[in-house]
Amino acid sequence: MQCETQSPHSLTSLLDHQPGENTLTRKKMSLSSILSADAIDSAVKDCQAPDSFCPKKFFQLCGLTKKSPQDVKKVFSVLDNDASGFIEEEELRFFLQRFNPGARPLTDKETKAFLCAADDDNDGRIGADEFQALVLS
């Protein structure tokens, strides 16, 4: 499988292991096919300073709050880098970099606050429904 060249807003998401392959096949998926590149850039720039990230504000600035539940789930699948069906704490740390590779990682404080804001069942990870509820609330 070949990957297309994508914009800086491209993400790599894990796919199933193909028979006869020694490595996992990866597919590029672009967030800019769902969100505008300008809105993504604006949202990332708004939280450049450490401990300035607010998930709800970020979702508003990047335009995700105005998208359909189906589009929100597509974004979730891109953020779920290991394709486990959940966004775990380590994946959250690199949340901004999924939108823009040059962005900073979230601080421990921001990561834990984000997890607390979305993890309704307190299992230490964010499921697709929890993510959608946070984005669209």
Side-chain angles (χ1 to χ4, degrees), residues 5-32:
T5 303
Q6 300 281 330
S7 74
H9 305 290
S10 297
L11 300 180
T12 305
S13 60
L14 200 56
L15 292 181
D16 295 331
H17 183 71
Q18 299 296 318
E21 288 186 335
N22 292 331
T23 60
L24 293 172
T25 303
R26 292 183 162 270
K27 175 186 167 190
K28 290 216 172 198
M29 185 173 197
S30 176
L31 282 176
S32 59

Side-chain angles (χ1 to χ4, degrees), residues 11-13 29 31 58-59 64 72-83 86-88 91-92 94-99 114 131 135:
L11 300 180
T12 305
S13 60
M29 185 173 197
L31 282 176
F58 183 87
F59 297 143
L64 192 55
V72 173
K73 291 222 177 175
K74 286 178 191 173
V75 169
F76 174 87
S77 70
V78 172
L79 298 172
D80 177 19
N81 198 47
D82 64 2
F86 297 94
I87 300 173
E88 291 88 5
E91 289 169 314
L92 278 180
F94 301 104
F95 176 84
L96 294 176
Q97 293 170 341
R98 303 282 183 250
F99 286 85
F114 192 168
F131 181 76
V135 170

